[in-house]
Amino acid sequence: MERNTKPHWQAHNARQPRMANPERRQVLSWLGGAGLLAAARARTAFAASPVQDQALAVVQPPRPAPAFSLLDIDGKAHRLADYRGKVVLVNFWATWCPPCRQEMPSIERLYLSMKGRPFEVLALDQGESLNNVFAYMGELNPSPTFPVLLDQHSQVAHAFGVMGIPTTYLIDKRGLIVRQAVGGRDYNTPQIRQTIEALMR
């Protein structure tokens, strides 16, 4: 089914003031410090690449992606299971996170370049209001046309084992997490494209 590429939040009141919100404090508290990130690395057994290295770390052995169902900013439900048979990039982010702002346009460019292929992007905002996310979308260039979902209580992030944002996972066609990145990336690069191409075969 063809997706409307005109960002629908541009018609929304996209210049609303940002919230000083308790949700931000809640997520910051949840993210914790460097010790939590180190524990996450040991627990999930991956070697996270430096942010300057645009590669995505291999998750070995691959592990099943936790099932979830979340609403997008239009109120439509998205189940991860609905995308079985596709490679799915799942990105955990928030509006107050500078690396998230920097990397999201590159995710959009990657997404547009993969139109019509077995590839999907799901961006899960952490703990923020619908209005806040709508306003933020209107500030990005290019504005995302992939599904933006509301993980308002960070339950999905907890299920995935996220300890900092942005964190991104590549899920293969069988529903297994095979690659992971902690920290910002430029996703519109030949190296990441080759990784996704190989998973789509």
Side-chain angles (χ1 to χ4, degrees):
M1 187 169 64
E2 188 171 343
R3 191 185 300 276
N4 181 7
T5 59
K6 181 174 177 57
H8 42 288
W9 40 79
Q10 289 181 349
H12 193 270
N13 184 11
R15 293 286 175 184
Q16 300 180 26
R18 290 207 185 151
M19 300 167 64
N21 55 41
E23 297 143 334
R24 180 181 301 187
R25 291 192 295 273
Q26 175 187 352
V27 177
L28 280 171
S29 173
W30 161 67
L31 291 177
L36 284 178
L37 182 55
R41 285 178 177 148
R43 180 163 53 85
T44 55
F46 73 92
S49 304
V51 173
Q52 293 82 2
D53 180 357
Q54 296 302 323
L56 305 181
V58 175
V59 175
Q60 189 61 41
R63 56 189 174 92
F68 65 83
S69 178
L70 291 173
L71 298 180
D72 66 18
I73 55 179
D74 291 322
K76 177 184 175 183
H78 293 258
R79 297 188 315 145
L80 182 59
D82 293 338
Y83 299 100
R84 186 64 60 89
K86 293 185 177 183
V87 176
V88 184
L89 185 150
V90 178
N91 176 253
F92 292 87
W93 68 284
T95 66
W96 48 262
C97 161
C100 301
R101 178 182 287 271
Q102 292 167 8
E103 74 177 7
M104 194 164 281
S106 74
I107 296 175
E108 170 66 5
R109 293 185 184 98
L110 172 67
Y111 177 69
L112 291 177
S113 73
M114 296 284 186
K115 281 284 189 180
R117 307 192 64 190
F119 176 72
E120 187 59 81
V121 171
L122 299 174
L124 280 61
D125 174 77
Q126 296 303 295
E128 299 183 284
S129 71
L130 173 61
N131 285 345
N132 204 33
V133 175
F134 251 110
Y136 181 84
M137 292 293 105
E139 297 173 3
L140 297 176
N141 183 26
S143 295
T145 57
F146 48 75
V148 176
L149 313 183
L150 302 175
D151 188 14
Q152 292 187 322
H153 301 290
S154 298
Q155 291 177 335
V156 178
H158 281 294
F160 271 75
V162 174
M163 292 294 177
I165 54 174
T167 291
T168 302
Y169 299 91
L170 271 182
I171 300 170
D172 70 11
K173 295 191 290 185
R174 302 168 296 168
L176 300 178
I177 298 173
V178 293
R179 297 275 181 152
Q180 179 170 338
V182 177
R185 297 287 192 280
D186 178 357
Y187 285 90
N188 192 31
T189 63
Q191 187 172 10
I192 290 179
R193 287 174 179 280
Q194 288 169 10
T195 297
I196 293 170
E197 292 277 355
L199 291 172
M200 287 194 299
R201 291 183 193 131

